[in-house]
Amino acid sequence: PYCHNGCPVNNQIPDWNDLVYHGEWEQASRNLHSTNNFPEFTGRVCPAPCEASCTLNIEDTPVTIKTIECAVADRAWANGWIKPEIPATKTGKKVAIVGSGPAGMAAAQQLARAGHDVHVFEKHAKPGGLLRYGIPDFKFEKSHIDRRVAQMEAEGVTFHANAHVGVTIPAKEILDGHDAVLLAGGSEHPRALPVPGRDLDGVHFAMEFLPQQNRRVSGEALDTNEPILAA
């Protein structure tokens, strides 16, 4: 199906759409989680290339896949279908993950469920990466991240906040203390636009402004002496 091909994480969209159509919401949630660790994240902030690929988009009436995905995940949480999945056996292996954005979180969850002792190192005060610091609350409330972090901690994942590997923690310490290391840091280098007026006061990169405002909303201390305010 075109929608399936358009999905970066290979969600089995026609399958769980059909399950929803037949009222099998819990089975739809299981199907959705088989390819996507955090459907309540993508159901809110994904740009939905699946809908652009939808056959019905030929007539500008695509299936509202993203909204259905979000509804499936929200119903699963509301009904208690999403629980910690604790491994039956432990491997005795210790894995470090540097970065707690969506990639780091998804990898941590999968590795913990495989039985490894997983430690996630985040340079900021709270996990979530771009999800937490780059998206405004009106679009994505941070309680969704906190809920998943709690699930993952119950599964055995250990989060280390304010832990900047290579700055406050020597990289060698991470390498020596773990059997494997996964680098899941995002790219924070902005792309400048060479246009007239770019150097004027009040023109900022998104990731200079958005993290500040997200910290204000959550009551977190700002990490700069140069506040940027929309006003």
Side-chain angles (χ1 to χ4, degrees):
Y2 295 129
C3 57
H4 193 164
N5 291 340
C7 178
V9 296
N10 294 315
N11 281 342
Q12 298 167 24
I13 296 160
D15 302 72
W16 47 258
N17 269 346
D18 190 58
L19 288 165
V20 167
Y21 175 73
H22 286 99
E24 301 288 341
W25 288 84
E26 187 173 2
Q27 183 63 26
S29 172
R30 280 198 291 270
N31 185 298
L32 187 50
H33 278 88
S34 73
T35 58
N36 187 344
N37 286 74
F38 313 120
E40 72 274 24
F41 295 1
T42 49
R44 285 174 167 82
V45 299
C46 177
C50 54
E51 294 184 21
S53 303
C54 179
T55 307
L56 292 176
N57 200 36
I58 294 170
E59 297 182 351
D60 294 324
T61 57
V63 173
T64 55
I65 301 165
K66 179 177 170 180
T67 305
I68 298 168
E69 176 181 17
C70 190
V72 170
D74 286 352
R75 186 173 291 216
W77 278 110
N79 285 282
W81 300 333
I82 299 175
K83 298 182 177 72
E85 297 180 25
I86 299 165
T89 57
K90 291 284 191 176
T91 64
K93 299 294 185 181
K94 190 175 180 182
V95 181
I97 296 177
V98 182
S100 69
M105 284 183 65
Q109 186 165 63
Q110 291 302 113
L111 289 166
R113 289 175 178 178
H116 303 311
D117 179 18
V118 180
H119 292 258
V120 180
F121 296 85
E122 169 56 50
K123 67 180 178 181
H124 294 306
K126 297 177 182 178
L130 195 69
L131 288 167
R132 185 176 296 278
Y133 294 107
I135 304 174
D137 275 48
F138 74 86
K139 191 171 181 66
F140 185 74
E141 293 179 345
K142 305 314 180 284
S143 58
H144 300 298
I145 304 171
D146 298 334
R147 187 169 55 184
R148 280 295 183 181
V149 168
Q151 179 200 23
M152 292 167 64
E153 287 176 334
E155 293 172 342
V157 177
T158 303
F159 288 89
H160 303 269
N162 295 309
H164 196 171
V165 175
V167 179
T168 60
I169 300 175
K172 190 175 188 305
E173 184 180 311
I174 300 295
L175 287 167
D176 292 346
H178 299 83
D179 296 288
V181 178
L182 173 65
L183 301 180
S187 173
E188 297 183 6
H189 187 72
R191 183 181 62 178
L193 295 178
V195 296
R198 171 64 189 89
D199 56 342
L200 294 174
D201 289 342
V203 180
H204 302 278
F205 289 118
M207 288 304 291
E208 292 173 352
F209 168 66
L210 291 169
Q212 284 194 23
Q213 190 59 25
N214 277 309
R215 287 189 173 92
R216 285 190 193 95
V217 171
S218 67
E220 191 179 323
L222 297 185
D223 60 353
T224 178
N225 295 321
E226 299 179 8
I228 305 171
L229 295 163

